Amino acid sequence: MATPNILDVYNKWNKFSFGKRLFSWFFSKWAPYFQTIKPLILELRPGYCEVLIKKRKIVQNHIGTVHVIAICNGLEMAMGAVSEATIPKHLRWIPKGMELEYTAKAGSDIRCVADIDGKEWLEGDFLVPVTAYDENDVVVVKGTIKLWVSLKPKKEST
């Protein structure tokens, strides 16, 4: 049985009033560390994903801003969702590294965006631009997540 395309699942569940919350919970179960930020996927389409992290005590640091590691987690979730929604079926990916700049204090809810719209998937290193914004659209973190993209192994016929 084939695994359903993540974008198909998102679009199907998004028809319900609680669909985004349910899909976000489902997706964060796939990689359980994402549960630590209680993410909400606001938008997912080919080439673009936006994840919301609410400013809650559990994700704050000692100065009361959203901890950068929580933001990195949100950025990685956005990257993972957009990658799964966009990568051609014959390819696979795995994270290889992350290079980020912390550009401002994160004193509010944070939107984590991964935008690869128009980028062509090729084997080898693939850079995913990621940006985190506060509620005033100020960039608080920006950078890239490097993926290693390779061919999926051929399945043996039985």
Side-chain angles (χ1 to χ4, degrees), residues 6-142:
I6 201 75
L7 192 56
D8 292 340
V9 175
Y10 174 80
N11 289 332
K12 182 177 181 179
W13 290 5
N14 203 27
K15 294 175 185 173
F16 302 102
S17 60
F18 56 89
K20 285 183 181 177
R21 177 66 53 205
L22 182 61
F23 178 81
S24 299
W25 176 84
F26 165 78
F27 193 82
S28 63
K29 288 286 188 186
W30 195 18
Y33 189 70
F34 292 147
Q35 294 172 2
T36 62
I37 59 171
K38 290 194 177 182
L40 177 63
I41 295 180
L42 298 174
E43 185 176 354
L44 177 61
R45 57 181 159 79
Y48 185 86
C49 183
E50 189 171 317
V51 174
L52 178 68
I53 302 172
K54 293 291 238 175
K55 183 184 176 197
R56 299 173 299 113
K57 187 73 173 162
I58 194 78
V59 296
Q60 291 179 37
N61 59 24
H62 65 289
I63 61 171
T65 60
V66 178
H67 198 288
V68 74
I69 297 304
I71 296 170
C72 291
N73 200 359
L75 291 170
E76 188 172 12
M77 183 174 186
M79 174 280 302
V82 75
S83 295
E84 285 298 310
T86 309
I87 194 167
K89 294 185 185 311
H90 69 286
L91 297 174
R92 63 184 178 175
W93 61 272
I94 189 165
K96 188 176 174 182
M98 182 183 280
E99 194 169 307
L100 302 172
E101 294 179 42
Y102 313 151
T103 56
K105 288 183 181 178
S108 67
D109 295 350
I110 302 297
R111 287 182 307 111
C112 298
V113 175
D115 187 351
I116 55 173
D117 197 27
K119 289 188 75 162
E120 183 179 1
W121 285 89
L122 300 171
E123 291 180 71
D125 287 343
F126 185 84
L127 298 178
V128 178
V130 292
T131 311
Y133 302 89
D134 71 8
E135 63 188 9
N136 296 312
D137 287 331
V138 172
V139 174
V140 297
V141 177
K142 66 179 179 175

